[in-house]
């Protein structure tokens, strides 16, 4: 296996204990410094407080690591030019011996190989605005169709075409549910206007995952929760920020993998840091829920 697990992660996996995978693109390309380092620590702490072991995934000098020491995590958050790695980028960064931050796609690819069933992030990647023509659709979606990992998130990032992303996930046979909500959350905001099935307990979430495994389906599930109410933004404000970021991105000729980081940065600046605040709060809450779900799944395995 080309993946190196940290001692705590290896021990938890060997004992079939609860482990939660965390991504590193959110840290390196989604949140500005120094808030990103603080968030990385808080997400790990939230997973641990729920009784699970955090496994932040990243490539370090050509080695694909699951679980970073506090020092390595701080170094990653402070680093300048860590490559954004989706699944297709992993072989190249390994071959070059470089450093890489994993997206949701690359993170669940690694998690699945290790038998980690749950991961947490802020917002899933998806079909970009205009994606029907440009074909810019996040590899997060296709990877979810083949990696059996439950991704806890606040829906699809606000900069994306949320309705078309849901359509694509349906085509890929990836279940999308709301935990305590019957509407796909809109990432920075609670509302999207898109209906999804609602589940209300951890046991129901676990049963969903177990049913998918029981049927021999290859993929994962998307478990969505609204952003914490005290931090959530109004939909109108988010729509305005997205439209501005979209226009700036088009004017600057930004395409491909650079688009998501560019737009997130633009909205952070235009909102005076409001979007970063929401993003950090929701990512931390998602990590806590992921920890609880992983603990619940491990408990049910023992019964
Ligand atoms: N969630 C956040 N911020 C982020 C991301 C998720 O709150 O920056 C990252 C994830 O790594 C996700 C990626 O996989 O954005 C999507 O990038 P793209 O659209 O290029 O696939
Ligand atoms: Mn893309």
């Amino acid at each position: 296996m080309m993946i190196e697990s940290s001692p705590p992660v290896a021990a938890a996996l060997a004992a079939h204990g609860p482990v939660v995978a965390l991504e590193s693109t959110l840290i390196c390309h989604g949140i500005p410094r120094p808030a990103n380092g603080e968030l990385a620590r808080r997400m790990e702490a939230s997973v641990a407080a729920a009784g699970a072991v955090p496994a932040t995934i990243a490539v370090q000098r050509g080695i694909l690591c699951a679980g970073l020491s506090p020092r390595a995590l701080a170094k990653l958050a402070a680093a300048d030019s860590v490559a954004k790695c989706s699944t297709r980028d992993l072989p190249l960064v390994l071959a070059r011996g470089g450093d890489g931050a994993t997206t949701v796609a690359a993170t669940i690819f690694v998690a699945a190989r290790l038998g980690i069933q749950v991961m947490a992030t802020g917002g899933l990647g998806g079909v970009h605005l205009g994606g029907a023509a440009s074909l810019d659709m996040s590899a997060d979606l296709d990877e979810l169709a083949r990696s059996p990992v439950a991704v806890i998130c606040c829906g699809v990032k606000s900069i994306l075409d949320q309705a078309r992303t849901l359509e694509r996930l349906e085509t890929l046979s990836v279940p999308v549910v709301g935990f305590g909500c019957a509407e796909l959350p809109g990432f920075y905001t609670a509302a999207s206007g898109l209906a999804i099935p609602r589940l209300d307990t951890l046991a129901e979430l676990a049963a969903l995952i177990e049913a998918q495994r029981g049927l021999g389906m290859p993929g994962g599930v998307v478990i969505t929760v609204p952003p914490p109410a005290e931090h959530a933004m109004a939909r109108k404000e988010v729509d305005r920020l997205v439209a501005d970021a979209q226009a700036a991105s088009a004017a600057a000729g930004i395409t491909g993998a650079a688009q998501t980081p560019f737009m997130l940065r633009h909205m952070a600046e235009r909102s005076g840091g409001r979007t970063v605040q929401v993003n950090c709060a929701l990512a931390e809450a998602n990590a806590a829920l992921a920890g609880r779900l992983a603990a619940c799944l491990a408990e049910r395995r023992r019964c």
Side-chain angles (χ1 to χ4, degrees):
M1 170 106 67
M2 297 190 72
I3 306 167
E4 214 170 277
S5 296
S6 69
V9 169
L13 289 172
H16 303 287
V19 180
V20 171
L22 298 170
E23 59 148 314
S24 41
T25 291
L26 167 64
I27 304 306
C28 295
H29 302 277
I31 304 286
R33 280 177 293 191
N36 65 342
E38 174 70 16
L39 175 62
R41 274 193 304 280
R42 281 171 175 262
M43 287 182 82
E44 290 214 341
S46 300
V47 168
V53 175
T56 300
I57 313 284
V59 183
Q60 305 219 285
R61 294 208 215 168
I63 297 170
L64 194 40
C65 302
L68 302 180
S69 67
R71 222 183 106 144
L73 195 64
K75 210 174 135 199
L76 184 76
D80 254 330
S81 53
V82 180
K84 176 179 166 184
C85 291
S86 195
T87 311
R88 69 114 192 231
D89 305 305
L90 288 175
L92 188 61
V93 74
L94 293 194
R96 284 176 165 162
D99 291 338
T102 53
T103 62
V104 171
T107 302
I108 61 174
F109 172 85
V110 172
R113 262 88 220 145
L114 294 173
I116 299 174
Q117 290 184 287
V118 184
M119 96 152 280
T121 185
L124 193 65
V127 179
H128 282 261
L129 297 168
S134 67
L135 293 188
D136 190 355
M137 303 177 198
S138 179
D140 292 358
L141 306 182
D142 289 71
E143 196 57 59
L144 264 162
R146 47 182 184 242
S147 290
V149 181
V151 176
I152 315 283
C153 59
C154 292
V156 178
K157 277 192 287 291
S158 302
I159 57 172
L160 301 168
D161 187 327
Q162 303 185 345
R164 285 188 173 81
T165 302
L166 264 193
E167 290 292 349
R168 182 91 184 105
L169 285 167
E170 180 187 352
T171 305
L172 290 166
S173 303
V174 175
V176 180
V177 299
F179 185 58
C181 61
E183 184 178 348
L184 182 76
F187 188 51
Y188 296 136
T189 178
S192 72
L194 300 164
I196 50 172
R198 170 177 175 153
L199 298 179
D200 285 295
T201 64
L202 287 179
E204 287 174 286
L205 297 180
L208 171 72
I209 294 164
E210 288 161 2
Q212 193 185 38
R213 293 289 75 73
L215 289 168
M217 289 185 173
V221 298
V222 180
I223 296 170
T224 67
V225 275
E230 65 275 28
H231 292 280
M233 294 170 72
R235 187 167 166 189
K236 259 171 87 177
E237 189 188 357
V238 174
D239 286 348
R240 197 166 339 111
L241 286 167
V242 171
D244 285 355
Q246 177 73 9
S249 162
I254 307 289
T255 57
Q259 183 132 47
T260 296
F262 177 92
M263 289 185 68
L264 294 179
R265 207 176 316 122
H266 192 276
M267 292 189 293
E269 282 161 15
R270 286 298 162 89
S271 67
R274 267 285 276 135
T275 57
V276 174
Q277 235 177 52
V278 191
N279 205 341
C280 290
L282 64 84
E284 191 180 339
N286 293 349
L289 176 59
R292 288 167 57 211
L293 178 59
C296 173
L297 283 164
E299 183 60 38
R300 288 162 68 106
R301 277 197 295 273
R302 270 198 290 275
C303 298

